[in-house]
Amino acid sequence: MSADNIRMTIQDIADAVGVSKTTVSRYLNGRYNYMSEETRRRIERVIRETEFRPNKAAGSLKTARTDLIGLVIPDASSMMTPHLISSICDECTANRRKTIVVSTHNDEDKERRLVKELIAHQVDGIITATGRNLALYRQIDESGIPVVQTDYLQGNSPLDVVLVDHYKGCERAANYLIDHGFRRIVFLIRSSKDGYGTFAPREEAVRTVCAARSSEGVWFEKILVEDSAFGDPNRFRWGLQKINMQHREQPTAVFVGEGLLMGHVICAFSQMRLSFSSHFTISGYDDTRVAATCGAGHALVLNQPLIQMGTMATRILLGRIDQNMESKEKVRCLLDCTMTIPKSFE
Amino acid sequence: MSADNIRMTIQDIADAVGVSKTTVSRYLNGRYNYMSEETRRRIERVIRETEFRPNKAAGSLKTARTDLIGLVIPDASSMMTPHLISSICDECTANRRKTIVVSTHNDEDKERRLVKELIAHQVDGIITATGRNLALYRQIDESGIPVVQTDYLQGNSPLDVVLVDHYKGCERAANYLIDHGFRRIVFLIRSSKDGYGTFAPREEAVRTVCAARSSEGVWFEKILVEDSAFGDPNRFRWGLQKINMQHREQPTAVFVGEGLLMGHVICAFSQMRLSFSSHFTISGYDDTRVAATCGAGHALVLNQPLIQMGTMATRILLGRIDQNMESKEKVRCLLDCTMTIPKSFE
DNA sequence: CTGTTAGCGCTTTCAG
DNA sequence: CTGAAAGCGCTAACAG
């Protein structure tokens, strides 16, 4: 009996100790209330020496628990996902669970297939960040495999949901800009994201705040950025140039509605040798944290609480799994963006 | 018999079709050579209608194959990991495998524990990107669970290894800079990375090239950047200022030895209103792709082939799993960096 | 306090 | 061409 044999069974342990499989199984599941100190310590010693770990797949057959949870990501290579994935994996491992990660590449059919495969692996629950295939997830949830929805979502969900409160964050940021003297708010969003998913409320919030404060001379403009612009830095410089030239009398704040745009906007801004001032500024989402470094802290910046989101989603899921709280109402958890206020604003 | 019941068994299918479990099992494993067209089609129909998927955990008991592979990541929230994770997950799912992802946070003991847990889940193989616990992995590999090492590695490995050829990439980049007239090469690296893991060969390559071409008037300087500098953008500006002021007569190329530094260097450069020229330039690793946007393509940039690395590692691992090619020699796969040459250099 | 027994859902001989 | 039966490694009554 050596530690070399990676695939031992509890029978091996039982033989070594001189007890039955059952007793070893009891030990492994912490049911030593009715076990002699003696046997307990002997089993303990052998298991420690051999570094034995019971075969989870085998156990799951009886318990219907694999301690595996499925994570469905729309695009694992996106800059936003590492924090989400890592927080979910960490929260799972902290609770002796493991995470199976699959990436759908925004393909709805592929997602269906992958989710079915996760279930074939008997995952105890699923976290999805895709916002698609809601009917499928609802069906799964109802059949007893809890599903928690994160991040992406359009409209209502029949599931537990953890979301960023983009409306509130943007509302707050817009008010902040206006309070500090900016009157013309130029909202930038990629045309491919316009009105979609988590992006619609961002625009809505800024637009609404501007409308509500129009008596103070505030107005809202919106500019759609084509995806093709990402290939050509000149496009961003021209765009900023144009914004900067128009309405020069009005203190203007560019509000970047989406995290990937920010990098390009800040870089263009920096290359044009413009400066942050009370007359012209850049603000908005900054998922790649480029504004934090390149903008040198001069930009009012909104960040999504991705880590908190992952942790929260996992906690809710594990809660559902542990106490079969099907009957209890679904939760809808809204997380606040963090807003980083530049020193110059204070 | 409806699709509602997520957890059917092959017995249910067998009953519905009117055959035995065995026949259904045969069908599922594609062994219809000795099966009547008739039964085959009947089984096929029921399975399609019910969307039945066999319980993988149960099957694995007999086959000793879970179709699960373990992925051990040093820090899942790092900017470099998304591409690695996504390419591995994708390559796995493309081969009907799934990936269990764990993150060690660079904690060697935690890693040992997590790896043991992966094995308890009966993973068919492991990909690790940590470069630690080599002895443990070797033992696992020898006991029949193949392990592939990626990315991080110091020295030799008794395992299959997929690495970026940093030496070659840096050598090539350094020669390119010198060929284009730069004489003073200033190598920047974080002191916390100095001489460690994948970073040592980068410095070594640049240093060696400079030494070899010293007769052309080339020389090498090295500057260590403290981690504390990341909090304060001024530090980077001062540093660049200093580099720029010294030896003004010599065409100087800053060579950023590490991907996260690049963002800060490029931003400082841009804020100082310096320009890329044949007299002063920035080059090096750019994992966050900030140089590609902010530098507007003026920087000579090295990128790690992370996606290729993940795909390759997975292929090798699956190869080991499929054909029990224990006896065959271990492979050591070196992948080239991509070098992006600015237009102004051509 | 401990062991016997019967499965969990699937695969795989071995007989028909 | 198909089915009966045994067993993968573990858990959970149920007896002792």
Side-chain angles (χ1 to χ4, degrees), chain A residues 30-197:
Chain A
R31 286 192 296 269
Y32 11 69
N33 10 352
Y34 294 111
M35 195 180 300
S36 71
E37 248 327 272
E38 171 67 19
T39 4
R40 212 197 82 164
R41 273 190 292 98
R42 274 168 50 217
I43 297 177
E44 204 240 303
R45 210 173 64 84
V46 174
I47 286 185
R48 190 164 24 74
E49 281 173 0
T50 56
E51 299 195 306
F52 168 75
R53 305 260 174 166
N55 178 333
K56 287 241 166 205
S60 77
L61 227 45
K62 191 103 239 189
T63 60
R65 283 263 174 290
T66 50
D67 289 346
L68 250 24
I69 84 117
L71 173 57
V72 187
I73 294 283
D75 174 16
S77 65
S78 139
M79 282 310 201
M80 273 126 283
T81 33
H83 290 109
L84 199 59
I85 294 183
S86 85
S87 58
I88 291 172
C89 288
D90 287 347
E91 187 65 21
C92 279
T93 55
N95 290 279
R96 312 215 115 241
R97 259 78 167 209
K98 298 280 163 294
T99 318
I100 302 181
V101 181
V102 295
S103 171
T104 67
H105 295 269
N106 291 304
D107 177 336
E108 210 157 318
D109 288 332
K110 188 174 184 189
E111 180 172 357
R112 295 182 68 84
R113 239 192 49 230
L114 289 174
V115 167
K116 290 275 166 63
E117 290 179 22
L118 286 176
I119 289 172
H121 278 286
Q122 311 299 113
V123 292
D124 294 339
I126 291 176
I127 297 177
T128 173
T130 67
R132 295 163 195 260
N133 282 310
L134 229 66
L136 172 63
Y137 288 120
R138 189 188 47 68
Q139 183 201 337
I140 292 168
D141 189 74
E142 281 172 359
S143 83
I145 301 171
V147 178
V148 174
Q149 197 109 25
T150 353
D151 198 15
Y152 271 81
L153 186 71
Q154 330 184 36
N156 276 351
S157 172
L159 306 167
D160 291 315
V161 166
V162 181
L163 288 176
V164 178
D165 195 340
H166 290 289
Y167 192 94
K168 188 168 159 196
C170 289
E171 186 179 51
R172 193 170 153 226
N175 273 314
Y176 199 93
L177 290 167
I178 296 168
D179 289 345
H180 285 74
F182 294 97
R183 287 297 167 261
R184 177 178 167 232
I185 313 292
V186 183
F187 186 85
L188 253 52
I189 187 85
R190 270 196 277 175
S191 51
S192 60
K193 303 287 188 185
D194 181 42
Y196 165 69

Side-chain angles (χ1 to χ4, degrees), chain A residues 3-7 51 53-61 64 66-68 75-79 81-83 85-86 89-90 93 96-105 110 112-114 116-124 136 139-140 143-145 230 233 237 263-264 266-267 270-271 273-275 287-290 292-297 307, chain B residues 3-7 51 53-61 64 66-68 75-79 81-83 85-86 89-90 93 96-105 110 112-114 116-124 136 139-140 143-145 230 233 237 263-264 266-267 270-271 273-275 287-290 292-297 307:
Chain A
D4 285 2
N5 182 7
I6 290 271
R7 282 183 167 150
E51 299 195 306
R53 305 260 174 166
N55 178 333
K56 287 241 166 205
S60 77
L61 227 45
T66 50
D67 289 346
L68 250 24
D75 174 16
S77 65
S78 139
M79 282 310 201
T81 33
H83 290 109
I85 294 183
S86 85
C89 288
D90 287 347
T93 55
R96 312 215 115 241
R97 259 78 167 209
K98 298 280 163 294
T99 318
I100 302 181
V101 181
V102 295
S103 171
T104 67
H105 295 269
K110 188 174 184 189
R112 295 182 68 84
R113 239 192 49 230
L114 289 174
K116 290 275 166 63
E117 290 179 22
L118 286 176
I119 289 172
H121 278 286
Q122 311 299 113
V123 292
D124 294 339
L136 172 63
Q139 183 201 337
I140 292 168
S143 83
I145 301 171
F230 281 81
R237 287 202 288 271
H264 295 260
I266 284 279
C267 289
S270 167
Q271 283 157 15
R273 318 216 147 161
L274 292 169
S275 297
D287 295 329
T288 61
R289 310 258 165 178
V290 69
T293 54
C294 291
I307 293 179
Chain B
D4 286 1
N5 183 7
I6 290 269
R7 282 183 167 151
E51 298 194 307
R53 306 258 173 167
N55 179 333
K56 287 242 167 206
S60 77
L61 227 45
T66 51
D67 290 346
L68 251 23
D75 174 15
S77 64
S78 141
M79 282 310 201
T81 33
H83 290 111
I85 294 183
S86 83
C89 288
D90 287 347
T93 55
R96 310 214 116 242
R97 261 75 168 210
K98 297 281 164 292
T99 319
I100 302 182
V101 181
V102 296
S103 172
T104 67
H105 295 270
K110 190 175 183 188
R112 295 182 68 82
R113 238 192 48 231
L114 290 175
K116 292 275 166 63
E117 290 179 21
L118 286 176
I119 289 172
H121 277 287
Q122 311 298 112
V123 292
D124 295 339
L136 173 63
Q139 184 201 338
I140 292 169
S143 83
I145 302 171
F230 281 81
R237 287 201 289 271
H264 294 260
I266 283 279
C267 290
S270 165
Q271 282 157 17
R273 317 216 151 164
L274 293 169
S275 296
D287 294 331
T288 60
R289 311 259 162 174
V290 70
T293 53
C294 289
I307 292 179

